[in-house]
C-alpha cells in the first residue's frame, strides 16, 4: 500500500491503492532512527516480536497485525526432561492438540530413544496408527518395523461431509465430560499417599477413564469429520487432559516394581504406561532418575520399553539384549555413533550399581501395520554391556539384561500361546479341539487341566439368539450406504445412534448408550460395514476351561482391548418368566451398575425387557461366570427390519484383558418383585469387591 499504513484498517480498504504485494520474508525490516541521530534507521539489530504481542517502542503497527501493546500471554507448555528430573512427581507431557500429517518421505528409521523432539506423528506409532483393531492374532516380532510401516502406511481417509473443526475447537464441552468421568470413578482429589503408592484398583480406574475419554473424543471427532493435514490424536489429548487434572497413579518415581501393576498386564498406548506410573516418557525408551553422589548427579535406569524400534534381541523370554539410544539425526537422517549419555549412561550406571530395571515388552499387533501391545514383563538386572557395529555401520551400545527369577510368567506366556497357534507346541489338557464343530469363524477348544471332568452338560451350539416372534415397531428407514455407514453423513442408522457411529473403524465400541442401533437386514450396506460389528462372528481365539471351584469358564488366547466386542449371548428368548433352576439366564430387567455416569440416580429401564436362556441352546457366552469386579459388560443391540425389531445381547471388554484371564460379567440384581424367584448363590469370584453372593 502507498500511504497511511499505520492507520486503523477497520474501515473499508481502497483496493485500488494496492501497488504490489510481496511475501513478508522478502521485506527488509525498517527501524526508526534514535532521537538526535543522523544514522541510518537500519543500524539497530533486528529483534523478532510475535505478531499478537507488543511492538517495539517507536515502531508503527501495520495491517493486519494491529492490536494493543499489552504483553503477550505466556503459553504454559513445559517440556519435561526425559529422566533428569530430581523431583518425585512424574513430569506432565506436553499438551499436543494437533499434528501436521508428515510427508510420505519424512518417516525415518531408528529415532533416538531419548529424543525430546516433538515429531510425534513420525515415531509415536502406537496411537491412532493402531486403529483400535482387535481381531485375533498377535505376532512376537522384535525386528525394526518402521520400514514396513513406511511402505504400508496409507493416507488418512477424509470422511465426506461438512468441513469440521478439531475436537479441541468444537462446541462440545469436553471439560464437562471429563469431570463427570472423574467423579464417577472417584478420581477427584485422590488421596496423596494413595496416589504416590497406588493399588491395583486405582491403576485400573485411571486406565479405564483414559480409554473411555479417548474413545469418546474419537467418536466426537468422527462426527465432525477430518480436517486435511491434521492428525487426530485422541490418545495424546485424553492423556494430557488427565495429567492436567492430576488423575494418574504412582506419582512417586521409584526403582523396582510399581505397586498396582501386575506382571502380564497389557497396555495399548504409551500414554497408559505414563498414567499408571510404569514408564514416564511417552516416547523415549529409557526412563531414568538422577541422584546426587559426591555433589555430582548420577543417573540410573528405572525402566525400559523394548518395542522393536532398535536392533534388540528379545526372543529368549528370560534374557533381553537391549540396544542403546541415539545415533540418528531426525532432520537429515544422518547416522552416527551412539554416545554414552542420557539413557545410555543411566543403563551403564545401573550395571555397576546392580539395581532392578522394569522391562516392558512391545509386541507387534498382528491386526495393525504399526500397532504395538505393551506387556509388563517384571524386573530385570543388567549383567553386561559392550559396543558393536550396527546395521548402519556405526557403533551401538548393547546391554544384556536377565530377568530376576521367581516372578510370574509375562512374556513367556505370550511365546507359549504363539507356539500353540503355530502348532509348534500342544496345548495341555485339551479335551475337544473345537467345541463349536465349525459353527464359529475360529475353533474354540475345551480344556481341563484341573480334574477328571470330561466336559459340560449337553447343549445345542447356536451362534445367535432365537426368537419365537420379533418385536413390533414403527416403520424405520433403512440405510443405503453401499460402501458402509460413515460418520458426518445423513445415514439413518447414524441418526438413530444420536448422530454418532457407535464403533470405531476397528470395531471398538466408542460409547455406552442404553441401546446400540446396528444396521438391520433391510439395510443395503455390506457385511463389512462398521455398524455391523456383532454380526460378523467371533474374532478372538477363545477357550472354555475348567476352573478350580466355579465349574467351566471362558477365557481368550488373545489380548482384548477395552471396548472390543467379544461375543453375543446366544440362546432362546423366554416370554413367560424364567426357571429358578436355570443357571444360564441373562435378564435385562435386572439392575446393573452403569459403566459411564448417567444423569439420573434411577435405574435406566431397558427399551425391550428381554430374558434369554442358554441352558439347552447357546454359544460360548453361556460359560461366562459372575464376578463382583468383572472385566466384561453387556449391551443391548437393536437390529431393525422394516416394522420388526430384533434385540440382541453383546458382550464387550470393560478394560484391557491379558491373555488367559477369565472373562466375567456381573449377573445383576433382580427387581424387588422378582427376588422371590432367583435365589442367592455363594459368590466365589475372589475379588476384593466381592459381596459374597450373587443371583
Amino acid at each position: 500500500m502507498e500511504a497511511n499504513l499505520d492507520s486503523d484498517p477497520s474501515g473499508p480498504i481502497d483496493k485500488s491503492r494496492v501497488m504490489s504485494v510481496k511475501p513478508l520474508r522478502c521485506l527488509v525490516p525498517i527501524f526508526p532512527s534514535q532521537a538526535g541521530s543522523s544514522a541510518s534507521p537500519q543500524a539497530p539489530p533486528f529483534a523478532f516480536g510475535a505478531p499478537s504481542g507488543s511492538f517495539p517502542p517507536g515502531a508503527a503497527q501495520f495491517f493486519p497485525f494491529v492490536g494493543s501493546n499489552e504483553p503477550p500471554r505466556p503459553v504454559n507448555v513445559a517440556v519435561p526432561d526425559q529422566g533428569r528430573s530430581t523431583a518425585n512427581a512424574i513430569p506432565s507431557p506436553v499438551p499436543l492438540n494437533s499434528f501436521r500429517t508428515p510427508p510420505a518421505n519424512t518417516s525415518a528409521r531408528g529415532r533416538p530413544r531419548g529424543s525430546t523432539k516433538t515429531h510425534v506423528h513420525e515415531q509415536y506409532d502406537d496411537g491412532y496408527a493402531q486403529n483400535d483393531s482387535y481381531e485375533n492374532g498377535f505376532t512376537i516380532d522384535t525386528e525394526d518395523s518402521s520400514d514396513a510401516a513406511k511402505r504400508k502406511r496409507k493416507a488418512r481417509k477424509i470422511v465426506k461431509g461438512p468441513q469440521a473443526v478439531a475436537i479441541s475447537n468444537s462446541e462440545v464441552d469436553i471439560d464437562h465430560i471429563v469431570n463427570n468421568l472423574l467423579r464417577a470413578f472417584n478420581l477427584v482429589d485422590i488421596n496423596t499417599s494413595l496416589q504416590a503408592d497406588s493399588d491395583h484398583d486405582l491403576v485400573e480406574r485411571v486406565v479405564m477413564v483414559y480409554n473411555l475419554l479417548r474413545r469418546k473424543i474419537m467418536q466426537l471427532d468422527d462426527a465432525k469429520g477430518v480436517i486435511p493435514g491434521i492428525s487426530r490424536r485422541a490418545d495424546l489429548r485424553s492423556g494430557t487432559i488427565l495429567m492436567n487434572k492430576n488423575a494418574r497413579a504412582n506419582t512417586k518415581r521409584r526403582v523396582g516394581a510399581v505397586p498396582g501393576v501386575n506382571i502380564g498386564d497389557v497396555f495399548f498406548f504409551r500414554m497408559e504406561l505414563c498414567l499408571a506410573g510404569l514408564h514416564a516418557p511417552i516416547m523415549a525408551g529409557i526412563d531414568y532418575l538422577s541422584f546426587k553422589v559426591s555433589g555430582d548427579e548420577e543417573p540410573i535406569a528405572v525402566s525400559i520399553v523394548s518395542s522393536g524400534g532398535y536392533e534388540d534381541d528379545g526372543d529368549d523370554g528370560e534374557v533381553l539384549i537391549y540396544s542403546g539410544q541415539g545415533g540418528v539425526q531426525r532432520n537429515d537422517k544422518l547416522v552416527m555413533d551412539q554416545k554414552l549419555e542420557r539413557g545410555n549412561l543411566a543403563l551403564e550406571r545401573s550395571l555397576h550399581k546392580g539395581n532392578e530395571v522394569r522391562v516392558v515388552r512391545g509386541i507387534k499387533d498382528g491386526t495393525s501395520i504399526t500397532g504395538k501391545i505393551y506387556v509388563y514383563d517384571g524386573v530385570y538386572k543388567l549383567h553386561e554391556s559392550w559396543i558393536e557395529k550396527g546395521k548402519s555401520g556405526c557403533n551401538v551400545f548393547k546391554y544384556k539384561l536377565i530377568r530376576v527369577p521367581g516372578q510370574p510368567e509375562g512374556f513367556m506366556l505370550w511365546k507359549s500361546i504363539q507356539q500353540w497357534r503355530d502348532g509348534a507346541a500342544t496345548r495341555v489338557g485339551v479335551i475337544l479341539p473345537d467345541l463349536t464343530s465349525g459353527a464359529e469363524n475360529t475353533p474354540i477348544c475345551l480344556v481341563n487341566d484341573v480334574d477328571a471332568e470330561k466336559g459340560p452338560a449337553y447343549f445345542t451350539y447356536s451362534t445367535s439368539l432365537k426368537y419365537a416372534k420379533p418385536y413390533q415397531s414403527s416403520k424405520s428407514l433403512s440405510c443405503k450406504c453401499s460402501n458402509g455407514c460413515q460418520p458426518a453423513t445423513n445415514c439413518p442408522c447414524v441418526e438413530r445412534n444420536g448422530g454418532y457411529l457407535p464403533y470405531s473403524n476397528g470395531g471398538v465400541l466408542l460409547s455406552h448408550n442404553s441401546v446400540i442401533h446396528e444396521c438391520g437386514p433391510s439395510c443395503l450396506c455390506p457385511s463389512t460395514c462398521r455398524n455391523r460389528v456383532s454380526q460378523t462372528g467371533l474374532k478372538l481365539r477363545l477357550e472354555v476351561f475348567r476352573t478350580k471351584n466355579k465349574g467351566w469358564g471362558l477365557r481368550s488366547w488373545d489380548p482384548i482391548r477395552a471396548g472390543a466386542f467379544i461375543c453375543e449371548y446366544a440362546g432362546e428368548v423366554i416370554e413367560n418368566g424364567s426357571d429358578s433352576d436355570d443357571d444360564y439366564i441373562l435378564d435385562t430387567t435386572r439392575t446393573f451398575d452403569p459403566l459411564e455416569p448417567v444423569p439420573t440416580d434411577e435405574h435406566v429401564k431397558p427399551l425391550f425387557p428381554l430374558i434369554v436362556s442358554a441352558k439347552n441352546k447357546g454359544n460360548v457366552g453361556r460359560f461366562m461366570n459372575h464376578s463382583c469386579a468383572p472385566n466384561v459388560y453387556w449391551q443391548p443391540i437393536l437390529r431393525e427390519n422394516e416394522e420388526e425389531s430384533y434385540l440382541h445381547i453383546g458382550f464387550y471388554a470393560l478394560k484391557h484383558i491379558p491373555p488367559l484371564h477369565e472373562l466375567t460379567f456381573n449377573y445383576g440384581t433382580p427387581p424387588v418383585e422378582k427376588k422371590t424367584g432367583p435365589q442367592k448363590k455363594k459368590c466365589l469370584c475372589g475379588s476384593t469387591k466381592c459381596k459374597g453372593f450373587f443371583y
Side-chain angles (χ1 to χ4, degrees):
M1 294 185 183
E2 290 182 282
N4 296 328
L5 293 179
D6 57 346
S7 61
D8 185 1
S10 59
I13 300 175
D14 185 2
K15 297 183 180 179
S16 64
R17 302 175 62 189
V18 178
M19 300 297 294
S20 63
V21 179
K22 295 182 179 180
L24 289 178
R25 68 177 66 180
C26 298
L27 302 179
V28 179
I30 304 298
F31 294 94
S33 302
Q34 298 180 356
S37 172
S38 60
S40 169
Q42 294 292 331
F46 176 72
F48 172 77
S52 59
S54 58
F55 284 80
Q61 301 176 2
F62 57 93
F63 180 77
F65 303 119
V66 178
S68 64
N69 276 333
E70 296 178 0
R73 292 179 294 177
V75 179
N76 296 323
V77 176
V79 180
D81 188 352
Q82 300 286 5
R84 286 199 174 269
S85 173
T86 58
N88 287 332
I90 298 175
S92 298
V94 181
L96 301 168
N97 293 332
S98 61
F99 305 88
R100 291 291 173 188
T101 303
N105 60 352
T106 59
S107 179
R109 174 179 173 273
R111 177 181 175 83
R113 277 181 170 131
S115 175
T116 57
K117 294 182 181 181
T118 56
H119 299 279
V120 178
H121 53 266
E122 297 176 6
Q123 166 68 13
Y124 189 54
D125 289 334
D126 52 340
Y128 267 66
Q130 292 183 345
N131 293 326
D132 266 328
S133 298
Y134 66 93
E135 293 183 358
N136 62 309
F138 57 84
T139 303
I140 298 177
D141 182 8
T142 57
E143 296 181 359
D144 192 338
S145 60
S146 57
D147 291 337
K150 287 190 293 183
R151 291 193 304 266
K152 298 181 181 179
R153 194 187 309 273
K154 296 180 180 180
R156 198 172 304 277
K157 184 177 181 180
I158 307 302
V159 178
K160 294 183 179 180
Q163 187 74 11
V165 295
I167 188 64
S168 56
N169 299 323
S170 70
E171 70 279 4
V172 178
D173 189 355
I174 292 296
D175 201 53
H176 177 71
I177 296 174
V178 173
N179 291 335
N180 282 342
L181 283 172
L182 296 181
R183 283 192 295 267
F185 285 84
N186 297 321
L187 293 179
V188 179
D189 298 327
I190 307 171
N191 180 275
T192 305
S193 60
L194 177 61
Q195 195 171 31
D197 297 282
S198 305
D199 56 14
H200 191 64
D201 177 65
L202 178 59
V203 173
E204 275 196 341
R205 282 186 283 133
V206 168
V207 176
M208 283 177 63
V209 168
Y210 166 79
N211 277 286
L212 287 169
L213 179 59
R214 179 185 61 83
R215 283 146 50 194
K216 188 65 177 178
I217 291 178
M218 284 179 62
Q219 188 179 53
L220 294 172
D221 277 344
D222 263 351
K224 291 293 180 181
V226 182
I227 297 180
I230 298 294
S231 176
R232 302 173 301 165
R233 292 301 302 267
D235 58 329
L236 293 181
R237 175 158 169 74
S238 54
T240 302
I241 290 173
L242 293 187
M243 294 291 279
N244 291 337
K245 295 281 187 179
N246 200 30
R248 49 184 176 149
N250 290 307
T251 54
K252 178 183 177 181
R253 303 288 298 280
R254 73 192 73 233
V255 176
V258 171
V261 180
N262 298 329
I263 294 176
D265 282 352
V266 294
F267 305 87
F268 287 84
F269 296 91
R270 286 286 292 267
M271 185 62 80
E272 293 174 338
L273 303 176
C274 178
L275 291 169
L278 188 61
H279 185 82
I282 61 173
M283 290 173 58
I286 306 173
D287 188 12
Y288 54 92
L289 292 174
S290 297
F291 295 93
K292 284 191 175 181
V293 179
S294 302
D296 297 328
E297 285 193 350
E298 288 285 339
I300 62 169
V302 294
S303 65
I304 60 174
V305 176
S306 176
S307 57
Y310 284 73
E311 300 168 14
D312 298 337
D313 182 4
D315 284 344
D316 189 327
E318 300 295 328
V319 178
L320 173 64
I321 307 300
Y322 189 77
S323 301
Q325 67 179 25
V328 178
Q329 292 287 349
R330 167 58 62 180
N331 294 332
D332 51 16
K333 302 180 184 178
L334 177 65
V335 181
M336 61 185 67
D337 292 340
Q338 292 184 350
K339 299 178 181 179
L340 190 62
E341 60 183 11
R342 297 179 295 147
N344 297 340
L345 180 60
L347 287 172
E348 192 69 30
R349 293 291 183 265
S350 292
L351 171 63
H352 295 289
K353 291 184 178 295
N355 65 280
E356 295 179 341
V357 179
R358 298 185 297 273
V359 171
V360 178
R361 301 265 193 166
I363 299 174
K364 184 178 179 181
D365 188 348
T367 64
S368 174
I369 297 174
T370 57
K372 294 285 172 57
I373 305 168
Y374 299 97
V375 185
Y376 175 48
D377 198 30
V379 292
Y380 285 60
K381 284 190 176 182
L382 285 128
H383 281 249
E384 188 180 354
S385 69
W386 65 93
I387 299 176
E388 67 179 42
K389 292 291 184 182
K391 294 179 180 179
S392 62
C394 296
N395 290 336
V396 176
F397 287 100
K398 292 286 186 176
Y399 301 92
K400 180 180 180 180
L401 296 96
I402 299 180
R403 197 167 188 258
V404 175
Q407 302 180 89
E409 277 189 326
F411 180 65
M412 280 299 295
L413 178 62
W414 290 65
K415 288 179 63 65
S416 298
I417 296 174
Q418 188 66 49
Q419 290 175 347
W420 300 344
R421 266 184 219 283
D422 299 339
T426 303
R427 176 78 169 100
V428 176
V430 174
I431 299 174
L432 196 61
D434 186 9
L435 180 69
T436 74
S437 300
E440 298 285 5
N441 298 334
T442 58
I444 300 173
C445 60
L446 183 67
V447 177
N448 184 0
D449 54 5
V450 174
D451 54 32
E453 186 70 28
K454 295 301 182 181
Y458 177 81
F459 73 100
T460 301
Y461 197 94
S462 175
T463 59
S464 187
L465 196 59
K466 302 302 180 184
Y467 273 92
K469 58 179 180 179
Y471 294 99
Q472 298 299 316
S473 62
S474 58
K475 185 176 179 63
S476 59
L477 294 176
S478 300
C479 76
K480 300 180 180 179
C481 308
S482 57
N483 294 323
C485 300
Q486 297 293 336
T489 61
N490 294 324
C491 170
C493 298
V494 173
E495 293 177 354
R496 279 194 290 270
N497 283 292
Y500 304 101
L501 271 177
Y503 300 104
S504 71
N505 283 323
V508 172
L509 192 64
L510 297 177
S511 64
H512 311 280
N513 302 322
S514 57
V515 64
I516 300 170
H517 293 268
E518 285 194 349
C519 295
S522 59
C523 291
L524 301 183
C525 56
S527 60
T528 55
C529 174
R530 61 186 278 190
N531 198 34
R532 292 184 182 269
V533 168
S534 70
Q535 304 171 40
T536 56
L538 296 182
K539 292 183 173 62
L540 298 168
R541 183 67 184 270
L542 303 174
E543 76 170 23
V544 175
F545 74 105
R546 186 71 173 176
T547 66
K548 292 182 179 180
N549 56 359
K550 295 181 295 183
W552 298 95
L554 185 67
R555 59 190 178 191
S556 171
W557 289 13
D558 299 300
I560 309 174
R561 68 169 63 208
F565 173 73
I566 298 173
C567 67
E568 185 179 333
Y569 193 82
E572 299 174 298
V573 177
I574 298 177
E575 298 180 355
N576 300 320
S578 60
D579 183 358
S580 59
D581 295 330
D582 192 343
D583 294 330
Y584 299 92
I585 289 291
L586 195 152
D587 188 350
T588 65
T589 64
R590 293 188 178 189
T591 302
F592 298 87
D593 295 330
L595 178 58
E596 292 189 22
V598 293
T600 176
D601 293 332
E602 298 180 2
H603 173 57
V604 179
K605 294 183 179 181
L607 183 63
F608 301 105
L610 184 66
I611 301 175
V612 181
S613 172
K615 183 177 182 178
N616 300 318
K617 184 179 295 185
N619 66 345
V620 291
R622 71 193 296 273
F623 295 105
M624 206 175 296
N625 286 315
H626 164 84
S627 176
C628 300
N631 52 20
V632 174
Y633 66 98
W634 65 269
Q635 283 260 202
I637 303 169
L638 193 64
R639 304 170 192 164
E640 298 179 68
N641 182 25
E642 300 298 337
E643 297 181 0
E644 297 178 342
S645 298
Y646 297 85
L647 191 66
H648 295 258
I649 302 298
F651 283 124
Y652 300 84
L654 179 66
K655 60 189 77 171
H656 297 331
I657 306 173
L660 297 189
H661 277 227
E662 185 179 2
L663 306 179
T664 59
F665 75 104
N666 193 317
Y667 286 4
T669 305
V672 176
E673 62 272 14
K674 285 190 177 183
K675 286 192 176 180
T676 57
Q679 301 298 316
K680 284 186 179 180
K681 299 180 179 67
K682 184 179 179 180
C683 182
L684 300 173
C685 69
S687 73
T688 57
K689 299 179 180 179
C690 183
K691 298 178 180 179
F693 65 92
F694 70 97
Y695 290 94

